[in-house]
Amino acid sequence: MRYSSILIIILILSCTKEKPKDRNALNIALTTSVSTLDPANSYDTVSAKVVNQIYETLYEYHYLIRPYRIKPLLAQSLPKVENNGLQYTIKLKKNIYYHNSPVFDGNKRKVKAQDFINQFKRLAFIPTRSTGWWLFSGKILGLDEFRLNAKSDMSNFFDLDVEGLQAPNDHTLIIKLKKRYPQLINVLAMAFTTPIPEEAIKFYQNDLSSQDVGTGPYYLEHWHKNSSIKLLKFKDYHQNTYPSKGDRFAYENKLLQDAGKQIPFVDQINFKIIKEAQTRWLHFLNNNTDIIVLTKDHFSLALDKSGKLSEEFKEKNIKLQISPTL
């Protein structure tokens, strides 16, 4: 994996002001408004910070290993690849629940293989206007034909099958390709391919731009556009732990102090839209936000001449993390 020479420097504030004991929250500033919560269209980095807490995919990247490696998330294991790379068979984990939602009429709903097919069809369905359609255009048997035949008719959306997308049972997904597509495993780790239940598509008439029907560690409590977003911990979140000590890791050993613990760690995440860099800086200094990406304008205020965190900030229990970005 090739890295650029750019460094993102993140300051992490360990709380110096006493907070209410019942509030285990993380406060984060976003540099601009979130454009959409629909995973079929969320492709900008700001929206992804929120969407990736709400929705999950078959696979994800192991975030401590370099070079990056794909690992199962909603899938039981890596796919079984057959027919000279043209067929992928994926077994799903069982007992994965969606967040509570009015679309389920008060019932709990588990993820099914058909839910992934629904989302692939949504990417192809013209009215969705998905920014992720290019990932599957010309790749899956029958999906381009579905796009042409379904047009803008929701009844066609549900009535028309796709030859290359099959769910022989609730926990098996089969994807058949027109040609080899080695990048498919990476695509299946993108939010574009999160499962979406039929109930949500019908209930919201395929408009998920401000809705939450995911399986992730957090669910949407409220969203005040251009102001704030509040996410709460999902009580029925499936078994998912912080990487164990047996995993390889790229950073310092202290990242493994929580190895093997069930995630998520905090009860809520508060996103605040703060567009001006100086305002974000002041919010951070006043303990209104817990993390900030340091801009060049503030280097001299936070760092000493050697590029290390200044003693003044260390005394305030502020920590510095330096990470390479692609």
Side-chain angles (χ1 to χ4, degrees), residues 278 281 285 294 297-304 310 312-313:
Q278 181 61 17
W281 176 248
L285 293 181
L294 197 63
D297 295 332
H298 299 111
F299 280 3
S300 60
L301 299 176
L303 308 178
D304 59 26
S310 69
E312 177 187 356
F313 279 76

Side-chain angles (χ1 to χ4, degrees), residues 3-153:
Y3 292 93
S4 73
S5 59
I6 300 174
L7 289 178
I8 289 182
I9 299 180
I10 301 177
L11 290 174
I12 303 178
L13 176 62
S14 297
C15 182
T16 55
K17 289 183 180 179
E18 187 174 349
K19 296 181 180 179
K21 292 182 179 179
D22 60 347
R23 190 180 141 220
N24 177 22
L26 182 65
N27 300 291
I28 302 175
L30 299 177
T31 58
T32 188
S33 301
V34 171
S35 60
T36 180
L37 293 182
D38 189 343
N41 287 302
S42 175
Y43 200 33
D44 61 278
T45 55
V46 172
S47 297
K49 287 182 181 179
V50 179
V51 169
N52 289 340
Q53 310 306 318
I54 297 174
Y55 290 96
E56 295 182 301
T57 49
L58 288 163
Y59 301 99
E60 66 176 339
Y61 286 90
H62 192 304
Y63 41 85
L64 293 186
I65 289 181
R66 301 294 184 273
Y68 292 105
R69 187 179 75 190
I70 293 286
K71 69 170 189 170
L73 181 52
L74 296 182
Q76 288 185 14
S77 59
L78 294 179
K80 180 180 180 181
V81 183
E82 302 171 289
N83 194 19
N84 196 30
L86 296 180
Q87 178 170 310
Y88 286 64
T89 301
I90 301 168
K91 294 292 185 178
L92 308 183
K93 291 178 180 177
K94 298 180 180 180
N95 299 319
I96 302 293
Y97 287 96
Y98 286 104
H99 303 154
N100 297 328
S101 170
V103 309
F104 302 130
D105 196 25
N107 299 312
K108 288 190 174 183
R109 168 72 147 79
K110 296 179 182 179
V111 172
K112 300 186 294 187
Q114 180 61 43
D115 300 339
F116 291 94
I117 295 177
N118 294 339
Q119 179 66 346
F120 295 162
K121 291 169 73 173
R122 289 189 72 234
L123 300 182
F125 193 48
I126 294 173
T128 307
R129 298 180 181 177
S130 173
T131 52
W133 165 238
W134 62 276
L135 291 163
F136 290 107
S137 178
K139 305 292 197 310
I140 296 178
L141 281 175
L143 191 57
D144 289 78
E145 290 76 9
F146 164 83
R147 179 179 176 87
L148 292 174
N149 295 329
K151 298 179 181 178
S152 299
D153 191 327

Side-chain angles (χ1 to χ4, degrees), residues 38 41 118-119 122 125-129 154 157 196 200-209:
D38 189 343
N41 287 302
N118 294 339
Q119 179 66 346
R122 289 189 72 234
F125 193 48
I126 294 173
T128 307
R129 298 180 181 177
M154 280 304 300
F157 178 94
I196 299 293
I201 300 172
K202 290 180 175 178
F203 189 91
Y204 294 119
Q205 298 182 320
N206 198 38
D207 181 5
L208 302 180
S209 59

